[in-house]
């Protein structure tokens, strides 16, 4: 059974795992502060985009739908940042 296997989703998944571990390490090992919070939010944004594009299939849809999802990530991330800063 020689099947052509697409390893790209596995690579994306490994990147997501690595980013999750990086987020954990940053949160546990680095002192608290705005830079730490912004870096964790940036990593979360990247992870959200990877999930939306490659696992939800939004990579092949119009920019309207991708923009809606990106806007959602920006709004939620902005509200988290505002809540942290206040």
């Amino acid at each position: 059974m020689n099947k052509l296997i697409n390893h790209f989703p596995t690579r994306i998944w490994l990147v997501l795992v690595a980013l999750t571990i990086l987020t954990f390490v940053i949160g546990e090992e680095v002192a608290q502060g705005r830079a730490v919070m912004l870096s964790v939010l940036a990593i979360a944004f990247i992870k959200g985009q990877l999930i939306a594009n490659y696992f939800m299939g939004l990579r092949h849809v119009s920019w309207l739908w991708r923009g809606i999802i990106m806007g959602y990530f920006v709004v939620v991330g902005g509200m988290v940042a505002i809540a942290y800063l206040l």
Side-chain angles (χ1 to χ4, degrees):
M1 297 214 129
N2 290 334
K3 291 184 179 181
L4 180 62
I5 299 174
N6 186 359
H7 293 288
F8 192 70
T10 304
R11 290 182 183 141
I12 295 295
W13 181 78
L14 289 172
V15 168
L16 289 168
V17 169
L19 288 173
T20 301
I21 292 170
L22 178 63
T23 303
F24 174 77
V25 170
I26 288 173
E28 289 292 320
E29 301 295 328
V30 180
Q32 296 177 354
R34 290 181 180 172
V36 173
M37 184 265 307
L38 291 175
S39 64
V40 169
L41 279 175
I43 292 171
F45 181 79
I46 292 168
K47 286 172 55 178
Q49 284 298 311
L50 287 172
I51 291 168
N53 287 337
Y54 297 104
F55 292 109
M56 293 173 62
L58 294 181
R59 182 175 51 159
H60 301 293
V61 299
S62 70
W63 279 100
L64 173 67
W65 291 108
R66 294 173 78 179
I68 289 170
I69 296 298
M70 186 181 303
Y72 170 78
F73 293 145
V74 168
V75 168
V76 171
M79 290 187 333
V80 169
I82 289 170
Y84 180 82
L85 295 174
L86 296 180

